[in-house]
Amino acid sequence: MRTGALIVAALLLLAGCTADGTDDGGPVTLRFQSLAWQEESVQANKDLVEEWNATHSDVKVDYVQGSWSSVHDQLLTSFEGGEAPDIIHDASDDLADFAHGGYLADLTGLLPARLTSDIPQRSWRTTTFGDGVYGVPFLQEPRVLVANATWLKRSGVRIPTPEHPWSWPEFRNITRQLSGDGEYGVAWPLKEPVSATLNLSLSAGGRLFHRGADGKVTVRFEAGDEVVPRTIHDQVDTDHSASPTTLGSGGSDTLPGFFGGRYAMVPLGFSYRQQIVQQAPKGFDWQVLPAPAGADGLAQGVSPQTLSVAEDSPHKEEAAAFIDFLLRPGNMVRLALGDWMLPTGTQALADPALHTAKDGWATGTALAEHLRPAPAQAVRGYAEWKDKVATPAFQEYYSGAIGLSELRERLEKDGNLVLARYQR
Amino acid sequence: MRTRPGARAGQYAALLGYLVFLALPFLWLLSVAFKPARELGSLHPTWIPEHPTLGNFRQAFDEQPLLHAAFNSLLAAVSAAVIAVVLATPMAYVMARRPTRLARAASGWVVVSQAFPFVLVIIPLFLVLKNLRLIDSVPGLVMVYVVWALPFALWMLVGYVRAVPVELEEAAAIDGAGRLRTLVSVTAPLLAPGIVATGLFAFVTAWNEFFFALVLLKTPEKQTLPVVLTHFIGTEGVADLGPLAAAAFLATLPSLAVFAVVQRRITGGMLAGAVKS
């Protein structure tokens, strides 16, 4: 049947079917593909589109619903076929390939100074490839510890704050203190161990990827890179203070055990709070704690959500104007609240709605200044390195199957072979 | 042939076990669809929701245009099934009854083509449909589904045609029936179960198909049910589980209904004439 499709395709192409591609005049119509998926977030996006359309008779925006689970393939096909949406919602770690492929417009010069100066440089670095800026980073989420507040209070351990976070050794001690009788101090959901480990390792000065003077990247697993993996490994295999069964789980899978009093803490993305609010049993008292800090404080890597403009769009200026509208401070706050995430914009971040103690907003907001581009952001070959080398190596290390030296050797030796192929 | 009672009981037990195994995911989906959010987060999940709710269904319908998407899916799947069967039946007859070298090569190619990945054809297909201005249209999607289902439908039907004894057609010819009359009155009724099974295959394939629909349909009002279901899934695989289960449960119903309606036709047709009365 695939063959049939190819034959039909070839015949129709030979038949010379062509589109005229003419513009029929009238108001400009832009297609905005959004990946918003939570009820409040979808509503906020649709409301903003409506508000734009009500005040801009010359530029109409059509809201198109996209999906996180398949956005890369869907966009790639649309780019290749010249049918990409004008305004594209995605994550910054997905942009490098599209930017290098020439599918995204360089936004330099298209965005107003208000927006460029409002978003910190560290966030812009997540969407800057070479000399161009290929997306506007607008939402991000730190990894936090979601804790059973009653359990922590009862145990008498020091409760960390963004000003006085736990160190990694202190965190290990506390999880040991909280464990026993089938209960664990922490449950690490490490279905995707690489990004979690690398992003948290920034706090301990881990970099893993080192760019040389020739621009080529190599993997070096140094002292700073060891801290987070060693802590997790020791919690699971030495102290038995971390549940071994959740190592292969996603964040949502750990929630029943967390609500059931099996784990005192679960490291999760900030936006998981929405699920916790929905699913937590009545009376369950939970709180958000900052992730432990190391030599570099609370630093951690993130891949923000972004808005880009398609290179093929004939209306780049209008698209940039819509992005500017969508990301005005008040609107950015609406989008952030809808997605339970943090805005990148400085003015939006100052909004009182994001500083309430309720649902841990204030703790998360306090972490915003420590967020950095994920270490692997612009490393070509990262996806293959992650899938073929790093994921199995970390999984084996965390489960106790291999030691730290073998982990290092595999990440460096096998990893550099993979990266070298992409950098010839 | 008589079966010993013990063996019969074993057969029934095995059959029951198999049915339970098949039904488990569906029953769990049903259970989740009726559970409130707090029960979904329970460490001790129950099969029967303790506080059953229609809230998930309400939320699913509020958030996404499920009925519209179901209509689009139904339109695409039924159209694809009908067109594929109408095209495949005469082709299959010719391939089975006139086995030329070309027909044999075509059969082989059909088998090999099953190994080709979707991504191999999606971009050329996208370009063709774009030139035909059939991107973002259900007819364009139907065209793709027909092309996609046709070889396998053909393969299935060739087998069914071969199973019809050629002697029956020869007997009809001797009795004076022309080729068309033979086809309509003798071959077609015997082929009916095969045609129904093939149509069912094409329907279910199109009903469940996700990737082409995702890539080819842009406008929310034209999207099919599998595409709309993914809108309940967020970053890092986080899902709005209750509404997703409710919507997924609804999405399985048409397939089940079609099976329920036609399964008697399939088995009835297969057994027709098997026993001389």
Side-chain angles (χ1 to χ4, degrees), chain A residues 9-265:
Chain A
L11 288 175
L12 290 173
L13 280 172
L14 286 172
C17 303
T18 55
D20 59 16
T22 52
D23 200 333
D24 58 357
V28 168
T29 299
L30 301 174
R31 279 191 299 135
F32 164 41
Q33 179 169 296
S34 165
L35 301 179
W37 69 282
Q38 303 197 68
E39 193 178 5
E40 305 100 312
S41 173
V42 173
Q43 197 54 50
N45 275 277
K46 286 183 175 173
D47 288 349
L48 287 169
V49 168
E50 256 180 53
E51 286 169 29
W52 168 274
N53 286 337
T55 51
H56 295 78
S57 54
D58 51 338
V59 181
K60 182 175 172 288
V61 173
D62 283 346
Y63 180 91
V64 179
Q65 184 67 61
S67 155
W68 281 107
S69 53
S70 46
V71 65
H72 188 88
D73 291 341
Q74 184 253 331
L75 279 177
L76 185 61
T77 313
S78 302
F79 285 135
E80 286 283 348
E83 283 282 322
D86 299 273
I87 302 143
I88 295 158
H89 181 189
D90 204 346
S92 65
D93 55 359
D94 205 26
L95 295 188
D97 282 348
F98 292 146
H100 286 297
Y103 299 125
L104 299 177
D106 180 2
L107 300 176
T108 312
L110 283 174
L111 299 170
R114 177 205 68 75
L115 186 60
T116 47
S117 61
D118 188 43
I119 295 174
Q121 268 309 309
R122 58 176 180 271
S123 295
W124 284 115
R125 287 212 309 275
T126 62
T127 56
T128 304
F129 306 102
D131 295 330
V133 175
Y134 294 92
V136 183
F138 72 110
L139 289 179
Q140 57 189 347
E141 61 173 332
R143 211 167 283 265
V144 293
L145 296 172
V146 180
N148 181 325
T150 312
W151 189 340
L152 254 61
K153 266 180 222 156
R154 197 178 56 221
S155 70
V157 300
R158 182 177 77 81
I159 307 294
T161 62
E163 295 74 30
H164 301 288
W166 288 330
S167 66
W168 284 100
E170 192 181 3
F171 174 56
R172 188 180 159 193
N173 281 337
I174 282 167
T175 56
R176 206 162 30 201
Q177 245 175 280
L178 296 170
S179 304
D181 291 336
E183 293 175 346
Y184 297 94
V186 67
W188 286 96
L190 287 177
K191 191 177 175 183
E192 301 281 345
V194 184
S195 62
T197 308
L198 263 54
N199 287 341
L200 285 173
S201 286
L202 285 188
S203 69
R207 288 174 58 197
L208 203 66
F209 298 103
H210 298 262
R211 196 173 291 276
D214 58 356
K216 290 186 176 174
V217 175
T218 50
V219 180
R220 284 206 309 273
F221 189 74
E222 300 177 332
D225 299 296
E226 288 180 12
V227 176
V228 174
R230 210 176 44 222
T231 305
I232 298 171
H233 171 275
D234 290 351
Q235 284 174 323
V236 175
D237 298 294
T238 309
D239 307 339
H240 306 293
S241 61
S243 166
T245 55
T246 61
L247 289 178
S249 306
S252 304
D253 306 325
T254 58
L255 293 182
F258 177 60
F259 298 144
R262 192 164 283 178
Y263 327 120
M265 290 178 279

Side-chain angles (χ1 to χ4, degrees), chain A residues 1-10 12-13 17-22 31 36-39 42 46 63-70 73-74 76-78 80-83 141 143 252 255-257 259-260 262 271-272 275-282 305, chain B residues 37-44 59 62-64 109-110 113-118 120-128 130-133 135 143 147-152 201 210-211 214-215 218-220 223 227 230-236 238-241:
Chain A
M1 48 189 115
R2 284 94 170 160
T3 317
L6 278 172
I7 292 168
V8 170
L12 290 173
L13 280 172
C17 303
T18 55
D20 59 16
T22 52
R31 279 191 299 135
W37 69 282
Q38 303 197 68
E39 193 178 5
V42 173
K46 286 183 175 173
Y63 180 91
V64 179
Q65 184 67 61
S67 155
W68 281 107
S69 53
S70 46
D73 291 341
Q74 184 253 331
L76 185 61
T77 313
S78 302
E80 286 283 348
E83 283 282 322
E141 61 173 332
R143 211 167 283 265
S252 304
L255 293 182
F259 298 144
R262 192 164 283 178
S271 61
Y272 271 92
Q275 289 219 328
I276 294 169
V277 167
Q278 275 189 349
Q279 295 181 14
K282 275 181 187 155
Q305 293 188 18
Chain B
R38 293 194 197 288
E39 281 187 50
L40 293 175
S42 168
L43 187 59
H44 305 289
Q59 192 183 337
D62 282 351
E63 283 182 30
Q64 301 296 340
W109 187 233
V110 163
S113 72
Q114 299 303 303
F116 290 1
F118 273 33
L120 196 69
V121 295
I122 188 66
I123 288 175
L125 199 60
F126 189 93
L127 292 171
V128 171
K130 186 188 164 200
N131 285 334
L132 290 172
R133 296 188 165 199
I135 291 288
M143 203 171 106
V147 171
W148 206 250
L150 203 52
F152 197 75
F201 154 78
F210 167 69
F211 188 57
L214 172 82
V215 170
K218 310 283 173 199
T219 315
Q223 288 178 337
V227 177
T230 65
H231 297 164
F232 293 104
I233 299 172
T235 47
E236 293 187 15
V238 183
D240 210 350
L241 207 54

